[in-house]
Amino acid sequence: MGKYIGKRIISMIPVLLGVSLIIFTILSFIPGDPARMILGDEAEEEAVQELRDDMGLNDPFVIRYVRYVKDLLKGDMGVSYVTNQPVSDEVFSRYPTTITLATVSTLVAVLIAIPIGILSAIYQNTLIDNVSRVVAMIGVSMPNFWQGLLNILVFSVYLKWLPSSGFSSPAHWVLPALTIGTSGAAAIMRTTRSSMLETIRQDYIRTARAKGASETTVIWKHALRNALIPVMTVVGLRFGGSLGGSVVSEQVFSIPGLGKLMIDSINNRNYPVILGGVLLIAFAYGIINLVVDILYAFIDPRIKSQYSSGKKLKKHEGKGE
């Protein structure tokens, strides 16, 4: 298992380099001049060109990218064009807020989706199933920014139950977590339903019932555990997506997280901060996928046995030689 984890982490290096190349290329060719944004529209052209030389923006694309990668491998993400502070300090100071938002929203999605998905599978083609599928379709189709604005209008403006912006207390977490979590719950619920429907039709489920096991034991001990593999995959993808997809929600609810920082950086042409934020999200996404793969072994004994059998096979081959 340790070697597998090490290989996965090492394999993330070329992925991150590829992501950095794509984002660096896009930022290099989009309209806008960071030097002009810093000095203002009334600045003289000579001053703008001098600042571009100081920032290295007049160098060829390849030289600028190679220089960025060399600094990145040393742990230097660059300096913010706006605050003149290290990008790593700005990004990592905002990231805990984004992680908290993603964690709470994913927890909301799981608590809503998995029970409803199980009920929908057990009572297939009944009123519960039909209503849950319609609600899931609405949740998948509804944009986060629109749902966030509706939540603000209903719960903050009219009912005055919850604050509409900020992230300083658990009360501030509710609306953004519901906004992100309900859309994620729709996808998780549909996956849970389909996986449970496939599992409860297996022969070992009929055998468990024939032996006299209670329906609760059959569903929660035998069916759900074997149906959790695809559900865990979707939950992991939704959590990783929340780390990047919460950009819009953070802007709607004025949450001082990484998403809002990146939106502000895009408006200010603050390229180093954009690059640093995207690379951090990509790295977190890779780590989440790795954690999900490891959890597979704890959920499904068959996967855990594969790791064990692989170790035994290597030992046997070593003795044979």
Side-chain angles (χ1 to χ4, degrees):
M1 180 68 76
K3 292 183 178 179
Y4 172 75
I5 295 174
K7 290 180 180 179
R8 286 290 300 271
I9 294 176
I10 293 174
S11 66
M12 290 174 59
I13 296 176
V15 174
L16 293 176
L17 289 176
V19 171
S20 67
L21 177 60
I22 293 172
I23 302 302
F24 197 92
T25 303
I26 294 174
L27 294 177
S28 297
F29 292 100
I30 61 174
D33 187 354
R36 176 67 65 180
M37 292 289 296
I38 294 173
L39 296 178
D41 295 333
E42 298 180 356
E44 296 181 357
E45 187 63 26
E46 293 180 358
V48 173
Q49 291 301 324
E50 183 178 354
L51 182 58
R52 286 181 60 86
D53 289 333
D54 294 338
M55 298 168 64
L57 296 176
N58 288 329
D59 295 333
F61 170 81
V62 176
I63 294 177
R64 287 188 286 118
Y65 179 69
V66 171
R67 182 169 58 229
Y68 177 78
V69 171
K70 286 182 178 179
D71 293 338
L72 185 64
L73 293 176
K74 298 176 183 178
D76 184 8
M77 291 184 174
V79 178
S80 171
Y81 292 162
V82 177
T83 62
N84 205 29
Q85 298 294 321
V87 172
S88 56
D89 293 346
E90 293 198 4
V91 169
F92 285 108
S93 65
R94 299 287 192 99
Y95 206 48
T97 300
T98 300
I99 292 178
T100 302
L101 176 58
T103 302
V104 175
S105 61
T106 303
L107 182 62
V108 169
V110 169
L111 293 177
I112 294 174
I114 292 182
I116 295 178
I118 295 172
L119 291 175
S120 183
I122 295 173
Y123 301 102
Q124 184 184 10
N125 297 326
T126 62
L127 180 62
I128 295 175
D129 185 26
N130 294 331
V131 171
S132 62
R133 283 191 290 174
V134 171
V135 173
M137 185 63 67
I138 295 173
V140 170
S141 305
M142 187 182 300
N144 280 349
F145 74 90
W146 186 66
Q147 184 182 356
L149 294 175
L150 286 180
N151 288 337
I152 291 175
L153 287 174
V154 174
F155 296 104
S156 297
V157 177
Y158 292 112
L159 298 178
K160 301 185 184 303
W161 288 354
L162 298 167
S164 61
S165 62
F167 207 70
S168 57
S169 67
H172 293 83
W173 303 357
V174 177
L175 289 185
L178 283 176
T179 300
I180 302 173
T182 49
S183 61
I188 297 172
M189 190 279 287
R190 296 174 68 183
T191 304
T192 304
R193 178 184 180 274
S194 61
S195 183
M196 282 292 295
L197 283 175
E198 182 180 354
T199 303
I200 60 179
R201 294 168 181 166
Q202 300 296 320
D203 292 338
Y204 64 86
I205 297 296
R206 287 193 291 268
T207 302
R209 287 171 174 160
K211 289 182 176 180
S214 64
E215 191 65 18
T216 302
T217 302
V218 170
I219 296 299
W220 291 99
K221 185 177 180 180
H222 298 285
L224 180 59
R225 185 170 183 177
N226 289 281
L228 275 181
I229 295 297
V231 176
M232 284 296 302
T233 302
V234 175
V235 171
L237 292 175
R238 295 302 305 186
F239 181 69
S242 298
L243 295 176
S246 59
V247 171
V248 176
S249 297
E250 288 183 10
Q251 189 71 15
V252 170
F253 292 99
S254 298
I255 298 173
L258 181 61
K260 192 172 187 306
L261 176 64
M262 291 181 64
I263 291 292
D264 295 338
S265 300
I266 292 172
N267 294 330
N268 296 326
R269 301 295 191 274
N270 196 354
Y271 296 158
V273 175
I274 299 172
L275 278 165
V278 172
L279 288 176
L280 186 58
I281 292 173
F283 178 77
Y285 210 104
I287 293 297
I288 291 167
N289 287 330
L290 175 61
V291 171
V292 170
D293 288 346
I294 295 173
L295 289 177
Y296 288 164
F298 294 95
I299 295 174
D300 194 338
R302 294 171 297 182
I303 299 177
K304 189 175 183 178
S305 64
Q306 291 178 1
Y307 290 113
S308 301
S309 61
K311 292 180 180 179
K312 292 179 180 178
L313 181 61
K314 289 183 179 179
K315 290 181 180 179
H316 179 73
E317 291 176 350
K319 291 180 179 179
E321 292 176 356

